[in-house]
Amino acid sequence: MKRTLRTAVLTVGALIAALGLPAGAAHADTIAPRVDLRVLVVSDGGPSTAAIAAELDAAGMPYTEVDLTQAGRPVIDAGFLADTVDGRPRARFQAVVLPDDDPFPAGSAEMAALAAYERTYAVPQVDAYTYARPEAGLQYPVYGGYSGSVDGVRASVTAAGKEGPFGYLDGAVPFEDNDPTVGESYAYLSAPAAGADFTSYVDAPIPGSTNRGSLVGEYRHDGRRELVVTFVYNQHQQQFRLLARGIVEWMTGGVHLGASRNYFAVHVDDVFAADDRWNTTLNCTPGDVDCTDPNVTPDPIRMTPADVDHAVSWQDSENFTLDFAYNGASSVDHREDNGGADELADKLVADRDAFRWINHTYTHAFLGCVQDTTVVPWRCATDAAGSTQWMSRNEISDEIATNRAWGLAAGLPLDDGELVTGEHSGMKVLPQQPEDNPNLALALDDNDIAWLGSDNSREGAQRRVGPATTVPRHPMNVFYNAGRAAEQVDEYNWIYTSRAQGGSGICEDNPATTTCLAAPLDTATGYTGHIVPLETRIALGHVLANDPKPHFIHQSNLAEDRIAYPVLSGVLDGYAALFAEDTPVVNLRMKDIGVELQRRAAWRAALRDGGVTAYRVGDTVTVEAPEGVAVTATVPTGTTLAGTAFGEAYAGAVSGWTPATGTPLAFTLPASAAHD
């Protein structure tokens, strides 16, 4: 697959004319320009340009945005687009993104400057969302095409698209249809205009016809290239997420700063423990401080050896590894209560190498403030002086160290630097505990903890807690207190329906909640019919968004009805049906996710502070970044750095990180990336 950045070698006359230089300004018959690895995004406040900008942000790609709706914005002219550096002509942008094929008034000098710049430096232009018309290389839709809703349409990558920028896809590009009462996608489908040099990369069937119309295609004209996109989208829609990588690869020729991969990791909390069960009569979980009834007998949920066999078999079938966050005291207690027997622990230990393991503390104790449970909801206990009472440093350290020792004695393959506390406790929990337990950082230091799991729904950004850096985890809406589908649905109904329907009223009090129900789900069908598709779509959305953060569920979800698997398989099987084999799901352990997030934060800070310079001259890409910051780039296969192959293969290219050393990094592109 050839994905190249087209950089022109200019004649003296062309340079002088393009740059407005005086005669005699150039000193050679030909000279290769410098092309900065930066994208110009011209926006109009619409969702499509915002989506492309979000993709650049997520990948770690530098760009300059010019908002056409803002007064005082920069004027796009020849001086804005290009200049000279050390006597060499410089193109300041490797690609241009416009809201449509011509967002300026008729006769605009800015559009003329852009067109001249694109011709001079062979810089490609993306039309983020444009009407199908001859000026964009397409017939008007009234001539055998279509304009209207494409909700639920199954578009396809064409043969040219697979050979070109969308080769990482298997072929299908399904458009979402999440709500039949809401129009979610609008498009123009049309054939190339007569005589137009137009190649369609993604198309869809035209309603009422046997023909197909282009949704994404390349239009070559007047010495310029445009990627013409004729459907509207936002950054969260699956159809855009599937095509975003290809849009970026097309506009950059596969040579750019930043990288994008599709990640999925799943942490299973409370392994060896038994989770309390939701009570469908009380509408609460016995054992919680607000759920007490002397007539209710506890009925905990705990995996069995057969559940372990199923987990191993499922992993093998999906080529995927689960991370088991364990509590050793639960096995110790089980043996004490069962004459020394614990078949589950014996089975898990025997199969320990099939999984990754994370310290989840010994007893799953609450590591924050001392909880006063005499009131509902609970509050932090205070001493006579009114100061918060905290779990001590020694108590927290014992929870960490004892569980680690138990795991090592059992032969679990641990990474000593990883920790997930029970309920993410010890860290701030609003509203009761607005600050971290001050003893938590000390105990983490005592035990050399480097990576600490946190709840992404509470804290989406990484932060430091003493010596540790947090790894935010996405909670999945598969409840810890449900081992059976009917229990999950009953609790789901309680949480997300109105008080008049017998629910909690949370949605009435918080109307922004996105999972609210118009009516209760059928407990027999609601799980597979509603919850599984919704949770699958949410999790797959994270996977497609270059988001490495792990998801977490609980051991109860692998027991009894094994309700986690339909969601997990839905994500992995759905992914496999969309992507080519060279674009697999990346399944990292917790510390590696932490490193990835940490590197990204440092890289974005360097970009934001203007500390990164990157450009291409001929077949050499030069990158300068602050010493100690890891540089990330995506380049064609065969690219070398200091004579050594760079990066790891992914999606038809190579990408990766390399440390900045204080001197410029010079990447040598392969012959396959030669200029056209």
Side-chain angles (χ1 to χ4, degrees), residues 651-665:
V654 294
S655 55
W657 296 91
T658 189
T661 60
T663 58
L665 300 171

PDB file of all heavy atoms in Angstrom, residues 651-665:
ATOM      1  N   ALA A 651      -1.448  -1.225  11.115  1.00  0.00           N
ATOM      2  CA  ALA A 651      -2.341  -0.626  10.116  1.00  0.00           C
ATOM      3  C   ALA A 651      -1.611  -0.218   8.847  1.00  0.00           C
ATOM      4  O   ALA A 651      -1.865   0.846   8.276  1.00  0.00           O
ATOM      5  CB  ALA A 651      -3.089   0.561  10.720  1.00  0.00           C
ATOM      6  N   GLY A 652      -0.679  -1.060   8.402  1.00  0.00           N
ATOM      7  CA  GLY A 652      -0.014  -0.800   7.146  1.00  0.00           C
ATOM      8  C   GLY A 652       1.122   0.197   7.213  1.00  0.00           C
ATOM      9  O   GLY A 652       1.684   0.569   6.181  1.00  0.00           O
ATOM     10  N   ALA A 653       1.471   0.654   8.423  1.00  0.00           N
ATOM     11  CA  ALA A 653       2.576   1.590   8.609  1.00  0.00           C
ATOM     12  C   ALA A 653       3.369   1.140   9.825  1.00  0.00           C
ATOM     13  O   ALA A 653       3.143   0.049  10.360  1.00  0.00           O
ATOM     14  CB  ALA A 653       2.040   3.011   8.801  1.00  0.00           C
ATOM     15  N   VAL A 654       4.309   1.952  10.255  1.00  0.00           N
ATOM     16  CA  VAL A 654       4.983   1.709  11.530  1.00  0.00           C
ATOM     17  C   VAL A 654       4.858   2.967  12.371  1.00  0.00           C
ATOM     18  O   VAL A 654       4.818   4.089  11.842  1.00  0.00           O
ATOM     19  CB  VAL A 654       6.468   1.317  11.356  1.00  0.00           C
ATOM     20  CG1 VAL A 654       6.595  -0.027  10.669  1.00  0.00           C
ATOM     21  CG2 VAL A 654       7.253   2.382  10.618  1.00  0.00           C
ATOM     22  N   SER A 655       4.788   2.776  13.676  1.00  0.00           N
ATOM     23  CA  SER A 655       4.664   3.905  14.589  1.00  0.00           C
ATOM     24  C   SER A 655       5.275   3.519  15.914  1.00  0.00           C
ATOM     25  O   SER A 655       5.489   2.336  16.201  1.00  0.00           O
ATOM     26  CB  SER A 655       3.194   4.303  14.765  1.00  0.00           C
ATOM     27  OG  SER A 655       2.413   3.186  15.180  1.00  0.00           O
ATOM     28  N   GLY A 656       5.547   4.517  16.728  1.00  0.00           N
ATOM     29  CA  GLY A 656       6.121   4.214  18.029  1.00  0.00           C
ATOM     30  C   GLY A 656       6.661   5.451  18.701  1.00  0.00           C
ATOM     31  O   GLY A 656       6.418   6.587  18.280  1.00  0.00           O
ATOM     32  N   TRP A 657       7.398   5.212  19.790  1.00  0.00           N
ATOM     33  CA  TRP A 657       7.996   6.274  20.597  1.00  0.00           C
ATOM     34  C   TRP A 657       9.511   6.133  20.562  1.00  0.00           C
ATOM     35  O   TRP A 657      10.039   5.026  20.504  1.00  0.00           O
ATOM     36  CB  TRP A 657       7.536   6.161  22.050  1.00  0.00           C
ATOM     37  CG  TRP A 657       6.069   6.353  22.279  1.00  0.00           C
ATOM     38  CD1 TRP A 657       5.099   5.392  22.282  1.00  0.00           C
ATOM     39  CD2 TRP A 657       5.410   7.590  22.551  1.00  0.00           C
ATOM     40  NE1 TRP A 657       3.878   5.946  22.540  1.00  0.00           N
ATOM     41  CE2 TRP A 657       4.030   7.300  22.713  1.00  0.00           C
ATOM     42  CE3 TRP A 657       5.837   8.908  22.677  1.00  0.00           C
ATOM     43  CZ2 TRP A 657       3.099   8.280  23.003  1.00  0.00           C
ATOM     44  CZ3 TRP A 657       4.901   9.891  22.963  1.00  0.00           C
ATOM     45  CH2 TRP A 657       3.550   9.578  23.119  1.00  0.00           C
ATOM     46  N   THR A 658      10.184   7.255  20.636  1.00  0.00           N
ATOM     47  CA  THR A 658      11.634   7.247  20.784  1.00  0.00           C
ATOM     48  C   THR A 658      12.021   8.461  21.613  1.00  0.00           C
ATOM     49  O   THR A 658      11.430   9.540  21.449  1.00  0.00           O
ATOM     50  CB  THR A 658      12.346   7.262  19.413  1.00  0.00           C
ATOM     51  OG1 THR A 658      13.737   7.037  19.602  1.00  0.00           O
ATOM     52  CG2 THR A 658      12.124   8.560  18.675  1.00  0.00           C
ATOM     53  N   PRO A 659      12.973   8.327  22.517  1.00  0.00           N
ATOM     54  CA  PRO A 659      13.296   9.456  23.397  1.00  0.00           C
ATOM     55  C   PRO A 659      14.028  10.573  22.663  1.00  0.00           C
ATOM     56  O   PRO A 659      14.875  10.320  21.797  1.00  0.00           O
ATOM     57  CB  PRO A 659      14.188   8.819  24.469  1.00  0.00           C
ATOM     58  CG  PRO A 659      14.771   7.615  23.806  1.00  0.00           C
ATOM     59  CD  PRO A 659      13.718   7.113  22.874  1.00  0.00           C
ATOM     60  N   ALA A 660      13.693  11.819  23.011  1.00  0.00           N
ATOM     61  CA  ALA A 660      14.457  12.961  22.515  1.00  0.00           C
ATOM     62  C   ALA A 660      15.722  13.086  23.362  1.00  0.00           C
ATOM     63  O   ALA A 660      15.679  12.948  24.585  1.00  0.00           O
ATOM     64  CB  ALA A 660      13.628  14.242  22.608  1.00  0.00           C
ATOM     65  N   THR A 661      16.832  13.330  22.706  1.00  0.00           N
ATOM     66  CA  THR A 661      18.119  13.343  23.404  1.00  0.00           C
ATOM     67  C   THR A 661      18.740  14.726  23.481  1.00  0.00           C
ATOM     68  O   THR A 661      19.860  14.880  23.972  1.00  0.00           O
ATOM     69  CB  THR A 661      19.102  12.405  22.690  1.00  0.00           C
ATOM     70  OG1 THR A 661      19.282  12.864  21.339  1.00  0.00           O
ATOM     71  CG2 THR A 661      18.579  10.985  22.681  1.00  0.00           C
ATOM     72  N   GLY A 662      18.029  15.748  22.995  1.00  0.00           N
ATOM     73  CA  GLY A 662      18.596  17.089  22.981  1.00  0.00           C
ATOM     74  C   GLY A 662      19.194  17.459  21.649  1.00  0.00           C
ATOM     75  O   GLY A 662      19.543  18.615  21.412  1.00  0.00           O
ATOM     76  N   THR A 663      19.349  16.490  20.760  1.00  0.00           N
ATOM     77  CA  THR A 663      19.818  16.749  19.399  1.00  0.00           C
ATOM     78  C   THR A 663      18.728  16.310  18.428  1.00  0.00           C
ATOM     79  O   THR A 663      17.909  15.438  18.750  1.00  0.00           O
ATOM     80  CB  THR A 663      21.120  15.972  19.100  1.00  0.00           C
ATOM     81  OG1 THR A 663      20.879  14.576  19.289  1.00  0.00           O
ATOM     82  CG2 THR A 663      22.235  16.431  20.030  1.00  0.00           C
ATOM     83  N   PRO A 664      18.690  16.882  17.225  1.00  0.00           N
ATOM     84  CA  PRO A 664      17.618  16.528  16.277  1.00  0.00           C
ATOM     85  C   PRO A 664      17.630  15.044  15.925  1.00  0.00           C
ATOM     86  O   PRO A 664      18.688  14.428  15.769  1.00  0.00           O
ATOM     87  CB  PRO A 664      17.944  17.387  15.051  1.00  0.00           C
ATOM     88  CG  PRO A 664      18.725  18.538  15.593  1.00  0.00           C
ATOM     89  CD  PRO A 664      19.538  17.975  16.712  1.00  0.00           C
ATOM     90  N   LEU A 665      16.436  14.492  15.802  1.00  0.00           N
ATOM     91  CA  LEU A 665      16.266  13.113  15.345  1.00  0.00           C
ATOM     92  C   LEU A 665      16.028  13.139  13.844  1.00  0.00           C
ATOM     93  O   LEU A 665      15.182  13.896  13.353  1.00  0.00           O
ATOM     94  CB  LEU A 665      15.077  12.456  16.045  1.00  0.00           C
ATOM     95  CG  LEU A 665      15.130  12.357  17.573  1.00  0.00           C
ATOM     96  CD1 LEU A 665      13.778  11.890  18.112  1.00  0.00           C
ATOM     97  CD2 LEU A 665      16.227  11.421  18.013  1.00  0.00           C
TER      98      LEU A 665
END
